[in-house]
Amino acid sequence: EGDAWSPIVSQPAGSERATSCVVAYQSKLYLFGGGVGPGYTSLATSLVYDVASDSWSELSPMPVAREHCAAW
């Protein structure tokens, strides 16, 4: 109960990706870049998940597409 997993809202449709950069900051989860297949294209898109409102928002894209990266 107190230690149980609870479902949250899914990422927006079409924003699925692999090998993205993820960082948690001030009760938000930021997701940058990544890649999509089948030809595996790197992405410059960015999303933020707000824990308090259980919602995803799109941020301004990064200037350069990135994947397999680190964020802090």
Side-chain angles (χ1 to χ4, degrees):
E1 296 177 10
D3 293 331
W5 288 92
S6 299
I8 61 171
V9 68
S10 296
Q11 275 181 232
S15 68
E16 300 86 354
R17 62 193 70 199
T19 67
S20 54
C21 308
V22 179
V23 66
Y25 180 70
Q26 295 184 345
S27 298
K28 294 183 180 175
L29 184 67
Y30 293 86
L31 183 107
F32 303 101
V36 294
Y40 203 79
T41 302
S42 296
L43 302 172
T45 56
S46 302
L47 297 169
V48 61
Y49 172 73
D50 187 322
V51 174
S53 65
D54 188 27
S55 64
W56 286 93
S57 301
E58 191 163 345
L59 301 172
S60 298
M62 298 182 295
V64 177
R66 299 271 186 222
E67 37 120 338
H68 289 90
C69 47
W72 60 91

